[in-house]
Amino acid sequence: MPAFPRWVIIVSGFVLIVLAYQIAWPWMQSATGLSGPTVVQAIHPAQAVVALLAATMVGGVIAMTISKLITGLSGLVVMGAALGWAGLSLAPMRDVLYHGSAAIVAVDGVAWCIVLLILSWIAIVLCSPVPDVHPEVDGAPSDPLRSPNGLKMLAAGVAALPVVWLVAQSDFRGQTLAATVLGGVAAGFVGRLWSPNVQPVLLPAGVMLAGTLACWVAAMLLPDAIDRAYTTGGIPNLLLPVPIDWAAGALFGSPIGFHWAGSFLKHECESAAA
């Protein structure tokens, strides 16, 4: 496909997904009167679930269309970029720390893990597999969900944690989003180098799962005096991104890191041709 129509599709898809989520945010109003940042701690959780699910379904259809027309990784990147951009208007994690329970945020994280797994499977398996991922044995590609290579891709999500810990020095929405995107890039890079012969279906879910577990563990270690800990910098950095940050970073960053790492690989068939 020529560059111009490709970019028209990408930009149009991005704008439409952003609009879908912006319509959903008011239904996620929390006790502070602001939108978000979690579903389980919204004033009306059932309405928040329905609104967020509807927006994600709309976004998913658009992303899958992009996957079919361009590439599967492109569809995931557009979905993640739009989710992250729209999520900048949500309340920061401090609202959860002051007015809710940080540990319960893990419920949102688990739900996003399932959503990301479904999106990745449809985009990469059904719509457009990554063409330069070659099986270890000709004609016998690794199962992206159940093979050891696939599980390595899931475990590669842990590589996002040190990057997020380093970058997320505050809960400002832009900084936490940037931290998770860079973490996703790191996880994608590590996953491709560690397990280059399997489609990255489990990669975004691995980043989301790692972030969810880190958030839950960090919440368990929080002191009782939250306000004092917040003002003195005693809140663990891995607790600062909200679940939507982790989801956006996983969808946006990990395909970029995965694609980038491909330039460092040289397959046997390419060596023979050279």
Side-chain angles (χ1 to χ4, degrees):
M1 179 182 293
F4 180 74
R6 181 170 66 247
W7 279 107
V8 169
I9 293 171
I10 289 174
V11 173
S12 300
F14 172 84
V15 172
L16 291 174
I17 297 173
V18 168
L19 290 175
Y21 279 111
Q22 291 288 4
I23 293 172
W25 293 158
W27 297 95
M28 292 176 58
Q29 186 178 25
S30 65
T32 63
L34 301 175
S35 296
T38 68
V39 168
V40 292
Q41 301 189 76
I43 296 177
H44 304 291
Q47 295 179 5
V49 168
V50 172
L52 189 57
L53 183 59
T56 301
M57 291 179 65
V58 171
V61 170
I62 296 171
M64 296 312 107
T65 302
I66 295 173
S67 298
K68 198 72 174 178
L69 295 176
I70 305 177
T71 66
L73 295 184
S74 297
L76 296 180
V77 167
V78 172
M79 181 74 176
L83 176 60
W85 184 267
L88 291 175
S89 61
L90 295 175
M93 181 59 84
R94 74 172 71 98
D95 283 19
V96 174
L97 298 176
Y98 285 168
H99 304 285
S101 171
I104 299 180
V105 173
V107 176
D108 275 57
V110 171
W112 276 112
C113 286
I114 298 172
V115 170
L116 265 57
L117 178 59
I118 294 172
L119 290 175
S120 300
W121 187 79
I122 295 175
I124 295 174
V125 176
L126 295 186
C127 292
S128 181
V130 181
D132 60 347
V133 172
H134 305 289
E136 291 180 294
V137 180
D138 290 340
S142 299
D143 188 322
L145 297 179
R146 294 176 293 180
S147 67
N149 284 333
L151 294 179
K152 287 180 182 178
M153 198 66 71
L154 180 70
V158 176
L161 298 184
V163 178
V164 175
W165 175 83
L166 183 65
V167 177
Q169 299 296 315
S170 73
D171 68 348
F172 291 136
R173 300 294 300 115
Q175 187 173 124
T176 56
L177 176 61
T180 56
V181 170
L182 292 175
V185 171
F189 190 86
V190 170
R192 183 68 180 270
L193 296 183
W194 190 18
S195 185
N197 305 110
V198 66
Q199 295 289 332
V201 174
L202 290 177
L203 183 57
V207 175
M208 189 72 225
L209 180 60
T212 299
L213 292 175
C215 177
W216 182 76
V217 171
M220 295 295 101
L221 301 176
L222 279 175
D224 294 332
I226 297 296
D227 52 348
R228 178 179 175 82
Y230 185 84
T231 55
T232 59
I235 303 299
N237 290 9
L238 292 175
L239 189 57
L240 297 177
V242 299
I244 287 175
D245 288 332
W246 284 105
L251 288 170
F252 186 19
S254 60
I256 293 175
F258 186 86
H259 179 74
W260 178 35
S263 62
F264 292 83
L265 298 174
K266 193 169 185 179
H267 299 284
E268 293 182 0
C269 59
E270 296 173 348
S271 300

